[in-house]
Amino acid sequence: MRDSMESGVLVNGDLHWLAERPQDSSYVLVSLDITKETFKELELPETLENNVLLINLGLLKGFLCLLEQSDSRVKIWVLQNYGVREFWTQRYVVKDEYGIVYRLILSFKGGDILFGNEFGLLL
């Protein structure tokens, strides 16, 4: 992974960020339990590709999700059982036609997903 976007996603009463471990430069999810004021680590999907350029967190239908962006596509992973690495599920693959950084803004009941970037919104 080459880069990650700033995140601060609220799920399960915890705020989540992407962080880099200093000892091996690997990425991990860090969460802050707001009420207990404690931090914990959550593992990312084991199958993330080596050619990932950017990763970003979001919220999809109430679940923590991860956008894995490579040269030609964006994969959307959803953590369906909070805190269990094996429950990261790849739900969508979106062709990246623009080569821009995507953020998940909103998911609609009908299945449409609203993305955003530094230039505006994409549906």
Side-chain angles (χ1 to χ4, degrees), residues 5 51-56 67-75 96 98-103:
M5 297 292 299
N51 64 341
V52 173
L53 300 176
L54 294 159
I55 54 176
N56 199 358
L67 280 71
E68 170 194 352
Q69 189 167 345
S70 64
D71 287 325
S72 61
R73 63 183 173 216
V74 178
K75 292 181 182 178
D96 181 9
Y98 305 106
I100 54 179
V101 178
Y102 290 89
R103 286 188 329 238

Side-chain angles (χ1 to χ4, degrees), residues 59-63 91-92 104 107-111:
L59 188 63
L60 184 64
K61 298 182 182 179
F63 295 102
R91 296 291 292 275
Y92 304 99
L104 188 117
S107 61
F108 297 95
K109 289 181 183 178

